[in-house]
């Protein structure tokens, strides 16, 4: 792969008015797409109650999370479809299509009648909308990043594309802000009945604004030059992934870059939120306020690390972020737990729960997409303990022996009518585990309360550190990816490793981590997933990932 370095004159040139317009328009549209995409996860409980039949709240919630995961699963396919179009017909028109598809699908969810009105068509249409959103997002990011990068002067590409890197976090922050504003301005009954639809319906206004601002843009100069010279790829997919020279680059980009970047990104933003609410039992409003504050403080560092990557390189910042995150996740999450729910952590250290059973009667609890149904007592009890954030140890019993549960050495009688392990949970709570709504669990569901409570401020500081890791790995990644691939296949080439990394390695992090927790009996064990993937990226990245900061996009072969 041949490269040339840029002249110092171009490096020092200030940002032009046209370049500023390119960044603003591309970033605004991408913020809108991320805002739309995150709404389904933030409002999963309301969607479940509206569109999914039945009285089992857990099953309904799992269905919606499965729909949320489906959006991540199809992102690589969107990258293939729209990446190909972007390399064939242009960057500008392709990401106009993806943005329109995302907006229509999101607006449709806001208008979708409930299950009580149209029956099973409701959950089916919801899933179809999520698939459309995932496909759209799979095409949007690569287009926006490529478009901005191809307008950026050599030597400032990391800084220019870092504005695109803020959009995922800003989109998440915006979705949380809109939801929190609605929750705080209406009764819970009104919000649950119809207020939750407003964030989806508002997206049509954002869509109109985003289309208008992007229509002001012209095609990227690199693509326009290639079009005029007649050097466009006739088969971008085949050229990008059907030849070993380019396929090898995609594999290195995935395993030595985006996989580790993705797990650090999702651990610092999504898993941290789910850890607070699902594991530590912090109420949703308090948790959202804490995460939003951490995001607000941390977001400018996307720009900083993008700028820094122009000075010292993309690779050292990305590798350092993955390595530091892997080394510090356990102490950081343990400290978050001690502050948010101190009684829970004290109980994990002082209350010993043993489940002794014949190994033949216990199966694996690994269930990353939440669709398995557990019926054997050993599995049901362990899953119940994990759901209640209780540490347990599975002890191997003799063949044919009955299941025995002890709490601090005292046997727990499990009535025949107890099909869930409620008796063990009650015994553990009697020994020191907190009950739901325990007064020691942090609860500050107001902005003023969060910023006046020392515990909340400490948590915001810890969450900011997690977001700082996110900015280290995510700030330079767009520049790195566009600099790895030649113009002919850049949209296609960079989009697939990005969306496999972020859609699969990252998108399935929360359910995979919680599945590991359920199987192991330790609330922190899910962190092994992002740690192992991040360390994999460190090793592969150090050995195989090239430094790209001085590459001239017009001279990559």
């Amino acid at each position: 792969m041949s490269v040339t370095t840029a002249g110092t004159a171009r490096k020092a040139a200030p940002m032009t008015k046209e370049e500023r317009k390119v960044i603003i328009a591309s970033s605004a549209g991408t913020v809108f797409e991320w805002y739309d995409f995150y709404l389904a996860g933030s409002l999963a409980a309301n969607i479940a109650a509206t569109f999914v039949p039945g009285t089992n709240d857990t099953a309904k919630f799992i269905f919606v999370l499965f729909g949320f995961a489906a959006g991540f699963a199809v992102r690589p396919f969107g990258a293939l479809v729209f990446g190909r179009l972007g390399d064939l017909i242009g960057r500008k028109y392709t990401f106009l299509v993806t943005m329109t598809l995302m907006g229509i699908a999101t607006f449709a969810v806001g208008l979708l009648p409930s299950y009580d009105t149209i029956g099973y068509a409701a959950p089916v249409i919801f899933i179809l909308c999520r698939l459309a959103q995932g496909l759209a997002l799979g095409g949007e990011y690569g287009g926006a990043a490529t478009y901005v990068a191809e307008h950026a002067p050599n030597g400032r590409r990391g800084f220019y594309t870092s504005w695109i890197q803020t959009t995922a976090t800003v989109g998440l922050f915006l979705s949380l802000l809109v939801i929190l504003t609605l929750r705080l301005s209406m009764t819970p009954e009104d919000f649950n009945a119809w207020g939750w639809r407003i964030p989806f319906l508002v997206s049509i206004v954002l869509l109109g604004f985003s289309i208008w601002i992007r229509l002001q843009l012209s095609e990227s100069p690199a693509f326009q030059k290639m079009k005029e010279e007649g050097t466009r790829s006739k088969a971008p997919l085949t050229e990008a992934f059907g030849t070993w020279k380019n396929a090898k680059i995609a594999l290195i980009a995935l395993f030595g870059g985006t996989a580790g970047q993705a797990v650090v990104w999702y651990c610092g933003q999504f898993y941290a939120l789910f850890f607070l609410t699902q594991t530590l039992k912090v109420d949703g409003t308090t948790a959202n306020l804490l995460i939003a504050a951490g995001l607000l403080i941390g977001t400018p560092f996307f720009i900083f690390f993008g700028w820094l990557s122009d000075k010292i390189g993309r690779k050292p910042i990305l590798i350092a972020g993955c390595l530091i995150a892997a080394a510090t996740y356990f102490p950081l999450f343990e400290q978050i737990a001690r502050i948010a729910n101190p009684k829970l952590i004290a109980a994990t250290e002082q209350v010993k729960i043993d489940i002794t059973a014949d190994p033949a009667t216990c199966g694996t609890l690994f269930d990353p997409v939440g669709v398995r149904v557990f019926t054997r007592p050993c599995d049901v009890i362990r899953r119940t303990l994990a759901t209640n954030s209780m540490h347990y140890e599975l002890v191997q019993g003799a063949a044919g022996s009955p299941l025995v549960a002890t709490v601090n050495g005292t046997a727990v009688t499990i009535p025949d009518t107890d099909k869930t392990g409620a008796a063990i949970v009650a015994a553990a709570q009697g020994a020191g585990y907190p009950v739901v709504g325990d007064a020691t669990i942090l609860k500050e569901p107001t902005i003023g309360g969060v910023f006046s409570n020392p515990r909340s401020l400490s948590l915001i500081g810890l969450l900011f550190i997690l977001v700082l890791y996110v900015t280290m790995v995510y700030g330079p990644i767009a520049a790195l990816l566009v600099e790895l691939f030649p113009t002919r296949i850049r949209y296609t080439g960079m989009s697939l490793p990005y969306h496999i990394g972020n859609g699969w390695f990252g998108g399935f992090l929360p359910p995979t981590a919680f599945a590991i927790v359920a199987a192991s009996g330790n609330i922190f064990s899910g962190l092994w997933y992002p740690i192992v993937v991040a360390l994999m990226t460190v090793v592969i990245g150090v050995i195989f990932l090239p430094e790209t900061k001085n590459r001239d996009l017009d001279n990559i072969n």
Side-chain angles (χ1 to χ4, degrees):
M1 185 175 287
S2 64
V3 214
T4 62
T5 54
T8 56
R10 283 193 73 193
K11 290 184 180 180
M15 185 182 292
T16 67
K17 181 179 179 181
E18 179 63 23
E19 290 168 347
R20 191 176 298 112
K21 184 172 74 171
V22 164
I23 292 173
I24 292 173
S26 300
S27 300
T30 309
V31 165
F32 154 70
E33 292 224 29
W34 283 110
Y35 163 85
D36 281 1
F37 190 75
Y38 288 142
L39 287 178
S42 302
L43 295 169
N46 301 95
I47 292 170
T50 305
F51 299 140
V52 187
T55 58
N56 187 325
D57 290 339
T58 300
K60 294 170 73 171
F61 188 74
I62 287 173
F63 176 86
V64 176
L65 288 183
F66 182 71
F68 187 61
F72 287 101
V74 299
R75 279 171 57 179
F77 300 101
L80 291 174
V81 172
F82 292 109
R84 176 179 178 274
L85 288 177
D87 285 326
L88 287 174
I89 67 173
R91 294 30 169 148
K92 171 186 173 180
Y93 295 107
T94 300
F95 65 46
L96 279 173
V97 172
T98 63
M99 186 170 59
T100 303
L101 178 61
M102 175 70 82
I104 292 173
T106 304
F107 187 66
V109 173
L111 293 178
L112 184 60
S114 67
Y115 171 80
D116 292 337
T117 303
I118 62 173
Y120 283 101
V124 170
I125 295 174
F126 169 73
I127 293 294
L128 291 175
C129 288
R130 284 300 299 168
L131 293 174
Q133 288 180 318
L135 289 171
L137 192 60
E140 163 66 19
Y141 174 84
T146 299
Y147 186 79
V148 171
E150 291 179 344
H151 276 86
N154 292 325
R156 303 196 71 192
R157 202 172 295 119
F159 173 65
Y160 278 41
T161 58
S162 66
W163 292 94
I164 292 293
Q165 301 309 95
T166 68
T167 59
T169 297
V170 173
L172 173 60
F173 178 81
L174 181 61
S175 69
L176 293 176
L177 183 64
V178 171
I179 292 168
L180 282 170
T181 300
L182 290 169
R183 285 187 182 277
L184 295 173
S185 62
M186 62 176 60
T187 65
E189 293 76 18
D190 285 344
F191 183 84
N192 292 332
W194 54 269
W196 68 269
R197 293 180 180 270
I198 294 176
F200 290 92
L201 298 175
V202 165
S203 69
I204 201 68
V205 178
L206 298 176
L207 173 63
F209 170 76
S210 300
I211 290 176
W212 174 78
I213 195 171
R214 282 193 173 180
L215 284 174
Q216 315 304 310
L217 302 177
S218 56
E219 186 53 83
S220 83
F223 182 85
Q224 191 62 36
K225 177 184 176 183
M226 185 174 61
K227 180 180 177 181
E228 292 170 355
E229 294 174 349
T231 57
R232 284 178 294 174
S233 174
K234 300 295 190 295
L237 292 178
T238 302
E239 189 173 340
F241 310 117
T243 60
W244 175 241
K245 182 182 74 170
N246 292 324
K248 179 177 67 174
I249 297 170
L251 289 172
I252 293 172
L254 172 59
F255 294 107
T258 61
Q261 165 260 303
V263 295
V264 173
W265 197 98
Y266 281 87
C267 195
Q269 297 189 165
F270 274 109
Y271 186 66
L273 175 61
F274 293 154
F275 186 76
L276 284 169
T277 57
Q278 303 301 312
T279 301
L280 303 181
K281 311 304 179 185
V282 175
D283 72 282
T285 302
T286 299
N288 283 333
L289 285 170
L290 293 171
I291 293 291
L295 294 176
L296 184 63
I297 299 170
T299 295
F301 286 89
F302 286 107
I303 310 299
F304 170 75
F305 285 114
W307 168 84
L308 186 63
S309 76
D310 286 330
K311 308 299 179 183
I312 67 173
R314 329 297 187 203
K315 180 175 174 177
I317 299 174
L318 170 66
I319 298 301
C322 288
L323 185 60
I324 296 170
T328 59
Y329 271 158
F330 274 115
L332 281 173
F333 275 85
E334 182 179 342
Q335 192 61 26
I336 288 171
R338 288 188 183 278
I339 295 171
N341 194 339
K343 192 172 180 179
L344 172 66
I345 300 308
T348 63
E349 297 169 345
Q350 300 167 9
V351 180
K352 181 173 174 54
I353 303 173
D354 289 327
I355 306 296
T356 305
D358 176 359
T361 65
C362 298
T364 174
L365 296 183
F366 193 71
D367 184 27
V369 295
V371 296
R372 293 180 59 192
V373 177
F374 298 95
T375 57
R376 292 188 290 189
C378 178
D379 299 337
V380 172
I381 288 172
R382 288 187 295 148
R383 191 171 177 86
T384 298
L385 292 173
T387 301
N388 285 276
S389 305
M390 295 178 173
H391 280 198
Y392 72 85
E393 184 175 347
L394 182 61
V395 181
Q396 181 173 327
S401 61
L403 184 146
V404 177
T406 62
V407 176
N408 285 342
T410 301
V412 178
T413 301
I414 306 175
D416 293 338
T417 57
D418 185 357
K419 304 298 183 182
T420 64
I424 304 173
V425 171
Q429 290 172 339
Y433 271 96
V435 299
V436 176
D438 189 283
T440 62
I441 302 173
L442 178 67
K443 186 173 184 179
E444 289 291 352
T446 64
I447 296 176
V450 163
F451 286 101
S452 62
N453 187 323
R455 290 172 66 191
S456 298
L457 293 175
S458 297
L459 283 176
I460 290 172
L462 293 169
L463 294 170
F464 162 70
I465 293 173
L466 294 178
V467 174
L468 190 64
Y469 297 162
V470 173
T471 63
M472 288 184 70
V473 299
Y474 202 58
I477 197 72
L480 185 149
L481 289 173
V482 299
E483 290 163 348
L484 282 173
F485 296 94
T487 305
R488 289 164 52 85
I489 57 168
R490 182 168 295 132
Y491 199 148
T492 305
M494 73 158 289
S495 293
L496 188 62
Y498 175 83
H499 285 291
I500 290 179
N502 286 272
W504 292 358
F505 281 91
F508 288 104
L509 186 153
T512 300
F514 282 116
I516 295 171
V517 168
S520 67
N522 186 303
I523 62 173
F524 298 109
S525 61
L527 292 170
W528 281 114
Y529 173 74
I531 287 172
V532 169
V533 175
L535 290 177
M536 173 195 72
T537 289
V538 169
V539 173
I540 295 176
V542 166
I543 298 173
F544 297 107
L545 187 68
E547 180 52 67
T548 63
K549 78 179 180 73
N550 290 323
R551 289 182 173 176
D552 186 337
L553 293 189
D554 294 332
N555 291 281
I556 300 175
N557 298 320

Tab-separated table of all heavy atoms in Angstrom, residues 158-187:
chain	number	residue	atom	x	y	z
A	158	GLY	N	-7.881	13.551	11.709
A	158	GLY	CA	-8.340	13.057	13.005
A	158	GLY	C	-9.229	14.066	13.706
A	158	GLY	O	-10.264	13.716	14.284
A	159	PHE	N	-8.844	15.339	13.642
A	159	PHE	CA	-9.637	16.397	14.268
A	159	PHE	C	-10.981	16.550	13.571
A	159	PHE	O	-12.031	16.636	14.226
A	159	PHE	CB	-8.858	17.709	14.226
A	159	PHE	CG	-9.641	18.904	14.701
A	159	PHE	CD1	-10.059	19.005	16.016
A	159	PHE	CD2	-9.964	19.922	13.813
A	159	PHE	CE1	-10.788	20.108	16.448
A	159	PHE	CE2	-10.686	21.029	14.233
A	159	PHE	CZ	-11.103	21.125	15.561
A	160	TYR	N	-10.995	16.558	12.251
A	160	TYR	CA	-12.242	16.768	11.514
A	160	TYR	C	-13.214	15.612	11.749
A	160	TYR	O	-14.404	15.823	12.006
A	160	TYR	CB	-11.947	16.895	10.011
A	160	TYR	CG	-11.500	18.280	9.570
A	160	TYR	CD1	-10.607	19.021	10.338
A	160	TYR	CD2	-11.950	18.836	8.381
A	160	TYR	CE1	-10.184	20.273	9.929
A	160	TYR	CE2	-11.522	20.098	7.961
A	160	TYR	CZ	-10.648	20.808	8.743
A	160	TYR	OH	-10.238	22.050	8.345
A	161	THR	N	-12.717	14.378	11.642
A	161	THR	CA	-13.625	13.233	11.798
A	161	THR	C	-14.028	13.003	13.243
A	161	THR	O	-15.016	12.318	13.507
A	161	THR	CB	-12.990	11.945	11.244
A	161	THR	OG1	-11.744	11.695	11.916
A	161	THR	CG2	-12.761	12.041	9.748
A	162	SER	N	-13.298	13.564	14.189
A	162	SER	CA	-13.667	13.374	15.607
A	162	SER	C	-15.030	13.992	15.912
A	162	SER	O	-15.709	13.568	16.845
A	162	SER	CB	-12.601	13.973	16.518
A	162	SER	OG	-12.542	15.390	16.396
A	163	TRP	N	-15.449	14.977	15.108
A	163	TRP	CA	-16.784	15.547	15.315
A	163	TRP	C	-17.857	14.526	14.992
A	163	TRP	O	-18.906	14.483	15.653
A	163	TRP	CB	-16.953	16.808	14.449
A	163	TRP	CG	-16.086	17.919	14.910
A	163	TRP	CD1	-14.836	18.233	14.461
A	163	TRP	CD2	-16.376	18.867	15.946
A	163	TRP	NE1	-14.326	19.317	15.146
A	163	TRP	CE2	-15.258	19.731	16.058
A	163	TRP	CE3	-17.465	19.083	16.786
A	163	TRP	CZ2	-15.197	20.767	16.982
A	163	TRP	CZ3	-17.424	20.124	17.700
A	163	TRP	CH2	-16.294	20.951	17.791
A	164	ILE	N	-17.609	13.691	13.988
A	164	ILE	CA	-18.527	12.588	13.701
A	164	ILE	C	-18.550	11.609	14.870
A	164	ILE	O	-19.585	11.022	15.206
A	164	ILE	CB	-18.111	11.861	12.406
A	164	ILE	CG1	-18.319	12.764	11.197
A	164	ILE	CG2	-18.891	10.561	12.221
A	164	ILE	CD1	-19.770	13.071	10.897
A	165	GLN	N	-17.398	11.431	15.521
A	165	GLN	CA	-17.301	10.481	16.625
A	165	GLN	C	-18.107	10.914	17.842
A	165	GLN	O	-18.456	10.086	18.690
A	165	GLN	CB	-15.839	10.267	17.011
A	165	GLN	CG	-14.965	9.731	15.881
A	165	GLN	CD	-15.560	8.511	15.215
A	165	GLN	OE1	-16.248	8.608	14.203
A	165	GLN	NE2	-15.355	7.347	15.800
A	166	THR	N	-18.380	12.198	17.959
A	166	THR	CA	-19.205	12.654	19.088
A	166	THR	C	-20.681	12.302	18.901
A	166	THR	O	-21.447	12.315	19.864
A	166	THR	CB	-19.105	14.182	19.263
A	166	THR	OG1	-19.738	14.841	18.153
A	166	THR	CG2	-17.664	14.638	19.380
A	167	THR	N	-21.073	11.993	17.666
A	167	THR	CA	-22.503	11.924	17.371
A	167	THR	C	-23.221	10.778	18.061
A	167	THR	O	-24.373	10.911	18.457
A	167	THR	CB	-22.737	11.828	15.848
A	167	THR	OG1	-22.070	10.657	15.339
A	167	THR	CG2	-22.212	13.057	15.140
A	168	ALA	N	-22.550	9.627	18.216
A	168	ALA	CA	-23.203	8.507	18.889
A	168	ALA	C	-23.503	8.857	20.338
A	168	ALA	O	-24.596	8.593	20.852
A	168	ALA	CB	-22.329	7.257	18.807
A	169	THR	N	-22.528	9.470	21.011
A	169	THR	CA	-22.728	9.853	22.408
A	169	THR	C	-23.731	11.001	22.519
A	169	THR	O	-24.588	10.999	23.409
A	169	THR	CB	-21.384	10.250	23.039
A	169	THR	OG1	-20.521	9.109	23.038
A	169	THR	CG2	-21.577	10.717	24.471
A	170	VAL	N	-23.636	11.971	21.621
A	170	VAL	CA	-24.591	13.085	21.647
A	170	VAL	C	-26.000	12.579	21.355
A	170	VAL	O	-26.975	13.019	21.969
A	170	VAL	CB	-24.181	14.179	20.648
A	170	VAL	CG1	-25.263	15.257	20.542
A	170	VAL	CG2	-22.858	14.806	21.067
A	171	GLY	N	-26.125	11.621	20.415
A	171	GLY	CA	-27.435	11.041	20.136
A	171	GLY	C	-28.013	10.327	21.336
A	171	GLY	O	-29.211	10.452	21.647
A	172	LEU	N	-27.178	9.564	22.036
A	172	LEU	CA	-27.621	8.904	23.270
A	172	LEU	C	-28.005	9.940	24.322
A	172	LEU	O	-29.052	9.825	24.971
A	172	LEU	CB	-26.505	8.001	23.796
A	172	LEU	CG	-26.738	7.361	25.169
A	172	LEU	CD1	-27.985	6.493	25.169
A	172	LEU	CD2	-25.520	6.546	25.592
A	173	PHE	N	-27.158	10.953	24.477
A	173	PHE	CA	-27.441	12.011	25.451
A	173	PHE	C	-28.748	12.724	25.115
A	173	PHE	O	-29.571	12.993	25.994
A	173	PHE	CB	-26.285	13.012	25.472
A	173	PHE	CG	-26.489	14.161	26.409
A	173	PHE	CD1	-26.230	14.021	27.761
A	173	PHE	CD2	-26.942	15.389	25.946
A	173	PHE	CE1	-26.427	15.087	28.645
A	173	PHE	CE2	-27.141	16.451	26.807
A	173	PHE	CZ	-26.881	16.297	28.167
A	174	LEU	N	-28.963	13.024	23.837
A	174	LEU	CA	-30.180	13.714	23.422
A	174	LEU	C	-31.413	12.862	23.701
A	174	LEU	O	-32.442	13.375	24.169
A	174	LEU	CB	-30.094	14.052	21.934
A	174	LEU	CG	-31.274	14.808	21.331
A	174	LEU	CD1	-31.447	16.159	22.011
A	174	LEU	CD2	-31.078	14.997	19.824
A	175	SER	N	-31.322	11.558	23.425
A	175	SER	CA	-32.469	10.684	23.690
A	175	SER	C	-32.772	10.632	25.179
A	175	SER	O	-33.940	10.685	25.592
A	175	SER	CB	-32.202	9.274	23.145
A	175	SER	OG	-31.209	8.603	23.868
A	176	LEU	N	-31.713	10.547	26.015
A	176	LEU	CA	-31.923	10.536	27.465
A	176	LEU	C	-32.515	11.860	27.936
A	176	LEU	O	-33.391	11.884	28.804
A	176	LEU	CB	-30.593	10.271	28.179
A	176	LEU	CG	-29.974	8.886	27.997
A	176	LEU	CD1	-28.617	8.821	28.696
A	176	LEU	CD2	-30.890	7.795	28.537
A	177	LEU	N	-32.036	12.968	27.360
A	177	LEU	CA	-32.511	14.292	27.765
A	177	LEU	C	-33.986	14.467	27.446
A	177	LEU	O	-34.765	14.956	28.279
A	177	LEU	CB	-31.677	15.369	27.062
A	177	LEU	CG	-31.999	16.818	27.429
A	177	LEU	CD1	-31.696	17.071	28.894
A	177	LEU	CD2	-31.189	17.773	26.551
A	178	VAL	N	-34.397	14.063	26.237
A	178	VAL	CA	-35.806	14.189	25.852
A	178	VAL	C	-36.684	13.327	26.753
A	178	VAL	O	-37.736	13.775	27.238
A	178	VAL	CB	-35.990	13.791	24.369
A	178	VAL	CG1	-37.476	13.697	24.020
A	178	VAL	CG2	-35.299	14.797	23.461
A	179	ILE	N	-36.245	12.107	27.009
A	179	ILE	CA	-37.035	11.200	27.849
A	179	ILE	C	-37.128	11.719	29.280
A	179	ILE	O	-38.205	11.719	29.886
A	179	ILE	CB	-36.422	9.780	27.820
A	179	ILE	CG1	-36.585	9.170	26.430
A	179	ILE	CG2	-37.085	8.876	28.865
A	179	ILE	CD1	-35.762	7.916	26.214
A	180	LEU	N	-36.005	12.188	29.826
A	180	LEU	CA	-36.016	12.720	31.191
A	180	LEU	C	-36.911	13.955	31.291
A	180	LEU	O	-37.653	14.112	32.262
A	180	LEU	CB	-34.591	13.070	31.631
A	180	LEU	CG	-33.703	11.901	32.062
A	180	LEU	CD1	-32.258	12.365	32.220
A	180	LEU	CD2	-34.213	11.303	33.370
A	181	THR	N	-36.842	14.833	30.292
A	181	THR	CA	-37.686	16.035	30.299
A	181	THR	C	-39.160	15.660	30.322
A	181	THR	O	-39.958	16.240	31.081
A	181	THR	CB	-37.383	16.900	29.060
A	181	THR	OG1	-36.007	17.281	29.079
A	181	THR	CG2	-38.253	18.147	29.047
A	182	LEU	N	-39.537	14.685	29.527
A	182	LEU	CA	-40.933	14.242	29.498
A	182	LEU	C	-41.334	13.587	30.811
A	182	LEU	O	-42.428	13.838	31.343
A	182	LEU	CB	-41.144	13.270	28.331
A	182	LEU	CG	-41.075	13.892	26.929
A	182	LEU	CD1	-41.022	12.805	25.869
A	182	LEU	CD2	-42.281	14.807	26.694
A	183	ARG	N	-40.460	12.750	31.349
A	183	ARG	CA	-40.774	12.073	32.618
A	183	ARG	C	-40.977	13.072	33.752
A	183	ARG	O	-41.845	12.885	34.613
A	183	ARG	CB	-39.655	11.099	32.990
A	183	ARG	CG	-39.635	9.806	32.179
A	183	ARG	CD	-38.598	8.848	32.753
A	183	ARG	NE	-38.487	7.602	32.013
A	183	ARG	CZ	-39.284	6.556	32.177
A	183	ARG	NH1	-40.276	6.607	33.068
A	183	ARG	NH2	-39.102	5.454	31.468
A	184	LEU	N	-40.158	14.111	33.746
A	184	LEU	CA	-40.232	15.086	34.831
A	184	LEU	C	-41.347	16.108	34.635
A	184	LEU	O	-41.674	16.865	35.559
A	184	LEU	CB	-38.887	15.815	34.964
A	184	LEU	CG	-37.688	14.945	35.383
A	184	LEU	CD1	-36.389	15.743	35.313
A	184	LEU	CD2	-37.891	14.370	36.778
A	185	SER	N	-41.935	16.153	33.437
A	185	SER	CA	-42.959	17.169	33.161
A	185	SER	C	-44.377	16.603	33.076
A	185	SER	O	-45.315	17.354	32.827
A	185	SER	CB	-42.622	17.895	31.852
A	185	SER	OG	-42.622	16.992	30.764
A	186	MET	N	-44.538	15.293	33.269
A	186	MET	CA	-45.876	14.706	33.253
A	186	MET	C	-45.961	13.580	34.268
A	186	MET	O	-44.941	13.120	34.790
A	186	MET	CB	-46.230	14.197	31.848
A	186	MET	CG	-45.328	13.095	31.308
A	186	MET	SD	-45.864	12.466	29.680
A	186	MET	CE	-45.775	13.924	28.662
A	187	THR	N	-47.158	13.162	34.554
A	187	THR	CA	-47.337	12.085	35.519
A	187	THR	C	-46.840	10.767	34.929
A	187	THR	O	-46.842	10.593	33.705
A	187	THR	CB	-48.819	11.922	35.898
A	187	THR	OG1	-49.552	11.497	34.742
A	187	THR	CG2	-49.395	13.235	36.421
